[in-house]
Amino acid sequence: MKHIKYFGIHFLLFCVIILTGFYSRNYIRKPFSYTDLIAIIIEFSLVIVALNLYKSLKKCLPSIHVINKIFLSVLAIFIATFFTGILTGEMRF
């Protein structure tokens, strides 16, 4: 059960980071203007909130071996990438 919780937390974290970057790239372009600055501030604030939530959730998890953490994190990155690709319509089969 602790492995599933660890995987779920990392999956959500990576989904938030990928989706934030995906939707903010439409607003950040050269030449930089106030809109770009606001988009960058919003993007960084969302990532900081997600990382703080991750830190608080991480304290609730029991210890897991390092090799299992690495495997679950890599698996969460791949599945989050496919999930967000399908969710945004960028990936089609």
Side-chain angles (χ1 to χ4, degrees):
M1 189 68 185
K2 63 184 177 182
H3 291 65
I4 294 171
K5 287 180 185 177
Y6 186 84
F7 173 78
I9 290 170
H10 273 89
F11 175 76
L12 290 175
L13 175 70
F14 292 128
C15 281
V16 166
I17 291 172
I18 292 170
L19 285 172
T20 302
F22 177 77
Y23 285 114
S24 69
R25 73 176 177 193
N26 293 332
Y27 299 103
I28 302 172
R29 298 183 193 269
K30 289 185 180 178
F32 294 112
S33 64
Y34 290 115
T35 306
D36 300 324
L37 181 65
I38 292 171
I40 290 170
I41 291 171
I42 291 171
E43 180 180 1
F44 282 131
S45 63
L46 286 174
V47 171
I48 288 172
V49 167
L51 290 175
N52 286 336
L53 182 64
Y54 167 71
K55 285 181 185 178
S56 65
L57 288 175
K58 187 178 171 184
K59 292 177 184 177
C60 300
L61 291 174
S63 63
I64 300 174
H65 293 290
V66 174
I67 192 74
N68 290 339
K69 285 182 180 181
I70 293 170
F71 175 71
L72 289 172
S73 295
V74 169
L75 185 64
I77 289 171
F78 286 132
I79 293 177
T81 303
F82 287 123
F83 180 74
T84 55
I86 291 170
L87 185 70
T88 58
E90 293 290 318
M91 189 178 294
R92 295 186 183 109
F93 296 105

